[in-house]
Amino acid sequence: MNNRLTIAIQKKGRLFDQSTDLIKKSGINFSTKGDNLLAKSNNLPIDILFVRSDDIPSLVSNGDADLAIVGENVLIEKSLFKRTYIEKIIDLGFSKCRLSFAAPKNNKIKSFNNMKIATSYPNTVKKYLKDNNINASVTNIHGSVELTPYIGMSDIICDLVSSGATLEANNLKEIEVILQSQAVLIKNKNLNNEKEKIADKVISRMQGVVNAIESKYVMLNVDASKVKDICKLLPGSESPTIIPLEDSKKVAIHALCQEPIFWETMEKLKAKGASSILVMPVEKILN
Ligand code: PRP
């Protein structure tokens, strides 16, 4: 039996660059040539599959891929109304977007009842309509959804919005958000023991990369009498290290802060007597 772990990712599109970046930062070395749809890692028993986003949930559910990075919007759309063998493991924090209703700017929409809605997310939209007792018709279209109100195919659309530039370019206004989405790591629920071990390693490394994104290592000096006040100001730090300094009244505090450090926080630290405040990026964290 082939016990190489397979990780499916989008072959092109909004998730591709950050998915490959995350895999590489997790210490899985691979290289791709041209339009190759399969890349073999040269340092771990792992293969990367480059596939269409839409196919990822079924590939993982059927066990044709073991792990995958996919937009939660696609995962939800493809998993609604059916039994799947997929476990969501990590919210990865990138490719954030939302699924929203939108209409031509000059349309005054009071209710979605009796509307014709065009979308690439028919299951998600139908569930929303049912949950909210709205009676409307849903047409499935795979792309250029923004065009449909102008050719009489729809009254409103329901599509992904990130920056809002596509809606703006097509003279559409966002009316209501029905789903917030980001990239997620998913896993087949029935891996064999060998694959489960490799998957655990990958998951723990990816979690380490994700944890590190917002984390900072903070170093500062302060009067020993102020340590408690200063520690209260350090966001998401568990147990800072306190180091004596040559000036016996002073100490250095080193802390791993697992939340962003804004200028405001640094200014508050300074106001409480901290000096030489250094904030440094963290590359990986293994908890
Ligand atoms: C999505 C969506 C919009 C666009 C919105 O398409 O369908 O066209 O992004 O992004 P914006 O608010 O930043 O302009 P995507 O590029 O994901 O490709 P798709 O058509 O395959 O969904």
Side-chain angles (χ1 to χ4, degrees):
M1 183 188 248
N2 177 5
N3 275 327
R4 288 178 72 84
L5 189 86
T6 50
I7 306 177
I9 64 170
Q10 192 187 49
K11 70 177 169 189
K12 57 183 167 191
R14 66 168 71 221
L15 275 79
F16 176 79
D17 287 341
Q18 283 170 291
S19 300
T20 50
D21 194 44
L22 175 61
I23 290 174
K24 288 185 172 167
K25 282 186 176 156
S26 302
I28 302 163
N29 298 341
F30 70 93
S31 55
T32 47
K33 274 193 228 118
D35 285 336
N36 274 3
L37 299 178
L38 173 79
K40 288 183 172 293
S41 167
N42 52 29
N43 66 329
L44 286 164
I46 293 174
D47 295 338
I48 317 294
L49 315 179
F50 301 95
V51 297
R52 277 177 56 106
S53 259
D54 285 359
D55 292 328
I56 288 180
S58 62
L59 287 169
V60 174
S61 185
N62 297 339
D64 299 310
D66 303 314
L67 290 180
I69 297 170
V70 66
E72 196 164 22
N73 52 306
V74 175
L75 175 66
I76 290 172
E77 173 65 22
K78 298 293 173 187
S79 307
L80 275 172
F81 311 128
K82 64 167 95 145
R83 178 159 185 205
T84 69
Y85 298 91
I86 301 172
E87 197 178 338
K88 185 179 110 176
I89 308 289
I90 310 175
D91 287 327
L92 296 170
F94 60 83
S95 286
K96 289 191 175 169
C97 59
R98 53 197 187 270
L99 186 63
S100 294
F101 285 111
K105 280 183 179 168
N106 55 7
N107 277 19
K108 295 204 168 30
I109 307 285
K110 293 210 172 69
S111 142
F112 296 152
N113 268 315
N114 303 318
M115 293 270 155
K116 286 191 287 182
I117 304 169
T119 185
S120 311
Y121 295 85
N123 292 334
T124 314
V125 173
K126 281 178 191 161
K127 178 164 190 310
Y128 176 87
L129 296 176
K130 185 163 180 272
D131 291 348
N132 290 280
N133 288 320
I134 298 166
N135 187 15
S137 68
V138 177
T139 305
N140 186 13
I141 181 163
H142 295 293
S144 305
V145 183
E146 295 85 0
L147 179 69
T148 60
Y150 300 106
I151 56 172
M153 202 177 146
S154 72
D155 299 305
I156 59 174
I157 66 165
C158 190
D159 200 14
L160 288 187
V161 183
S162 178
S163 64
T166 307
L167 290 186
E168 191 58 40
N170 289 284
N171 211 26
L172 296 162
K173 63 182 172 203
E174 192 172 359
I175 307 173
E176 190 167 327
V177 178
I178 66 168
L179 181 77
Q180 294 284 354
S181 177
Q182 62 178 299
V184 292
L185 179 71
I186 57 173
K187 180 171 96 70
N188 175 276
K189 281 184 177 171
N190 301 317
L191 299 188
N192 66 35
N193 288 346
E194 278 299 303
K195 286 192 173 185
E196 196 71 55
K197 273 190 216 151
I198 312 167
D200 281 351
K201 188 193 279 276
V202 172
I203 290 165
S204 141
R205 289 183 180 190
M206 286 191 178
Q207 187 70 64
V209 175
V210 172
N211 288 347
I213 289 171
E214 297 223 305
S215 296
K216 296 282 179 273
Y217 195 73
V218 179
M219 302 198 295
L220 55 84
N221 296 344
V222 74
D223 272 3
S225 62
K226 300 274 179 58
V227 166
K228 276 201 175 145
D229 291 346
I230 292 289
C231 288
K232 275 189 211 152
L233 288 173
L234 293 170
S237 69
E238 274 182 8
S239 183
T241 309
I242 315 290
I243 306 163
L245 294 177
E246 196 175 30
D247 175 348
S248 60
K249 287 194 193 127
K250 290 200 156 211
V251 292
I253 300 180
H254 291 192
L256 175 67
C257 294
Q258 302 207 349
E259 288 169 36
I261 306 279
F262 298 109
W263 278 107
E264 288 75 9
T265 311
M266 294 178 70
E267 285 155 4
K268 282 183 195 161
L269 290 166
K270 188 168 179 226
K272 286 276 179 200
S275 61
S276 304
I277 308 168
L278 302 185
V279 177
M280 289 173 294
V282 175
E283 198 179 83
K284 303 177 182 89
I285 298 175
L286 195 58
N287 283 322

